Amino acid sequence: MADAPPSALLTPTPDDDGAPFWAYTARGELRIQACADPACAELRFPPRPCCPHCRSFDSEWRAMSGQGRIWSYVVPHPPLLPAYAAQAPYNAIVVELADAPRIRLVGNLVASADARLDSVDPDRIRIGAKVQVVFARVDGFALPRWVLERP
Ligand code: ZN
């Protein structure tokens, strides 16, 4: 990765609360922050210091299966940033996690982890389709992206 030129794609700006999420994706793990109070144990996303359910400041990072369903999607139209225009038409999907149906992550549906953003024909995208997380290496980050369980 050190020698790869910058992609010009948008990349995360991790803060103290979100840094563990990106440390886990770098290891190929999708983990979601959870309340560490055993009486609560609710998952939350995006990461934040305080549990919105019980106000505990104790948290842990729970491993997810990486399976989910497409909850919604869009196919962005111009004007697009140049790096994205070069890979249009692409999609942005919202994935509802199988392990945590109230947690939804935004990402891209792609043919494989390192495939281009336009690697899936937008006409093939269906709400409710089962997807599996993959991790794309972009500018030093491991970005969660999604592939169809049944391509
Ligand atoms: Zn809690």
Side-chain angles (χ1 to χ4, degrees):
M1 278 187 293
D3 297 326
S7 69
L9 296 175
L10 299 175
T11 50
T13 306
D15 57 13
D16 289 346
D17 296 318
F21 179 86
W22 299 109
Y24 286 119
T25 66
R27 291 164 31 181
E29 296 180 33
L30 183 66
R31 288 182 178 251
I32 297 294
Q33 189 184 34
C35 181
D37 182 332
C40 174
E42 290 280 342
L43 293 159
R44 62 181 186 260
F45 191 88
R48 48 196 179 274
C50 180
C51 176
H53 305 282
C54 75
R55 300 184 199 154
S56 169
F57 281 86
D58 296 328
S59 68
E60 61 190 15
W61 289 82
R62 203 170 300 159
M64 300 286 114
S65 67
Q67 296 175 319
R69 288 179 181 272
I70 297 175
W71 187 79
S72 187
Y73 72 96
V74 295
V75 177
H77 292 273
L80 302 170
L81 293 171
Y84 289 86
Q87 297 190 49
Y90 64 92
N91 63 75
I93 64 172
V94 180
V95 174
E96 180 181 65
L97 296 180
D99 306 308
R102 291 186 299 145
I103 304 290
R104 298 181 187 127
L105 304 184
V106 176
N108 305 106
L109 184 67
V110 289
S112 64
D114 295 311
R116 288 169 48 95
L117 294 179
D118 61 0
S119 58
V120 173
D121 184 336
D123 289 342
R124 297 188 53 227
I125 304 172
R126 297 287 180 267
I127 288 174
K130 290 183 176 181
V131 292
Q132 174 70 44
V133 74
V134 292
F135 298 96
R137 300 284 168 177
V138 178
D139 299 344
F141 287 95
L143 303 181
R145 288 185 179 162
W146 303 88
V147 296
L148 289 168
E149 250 185 39
R150 279 181 260 153

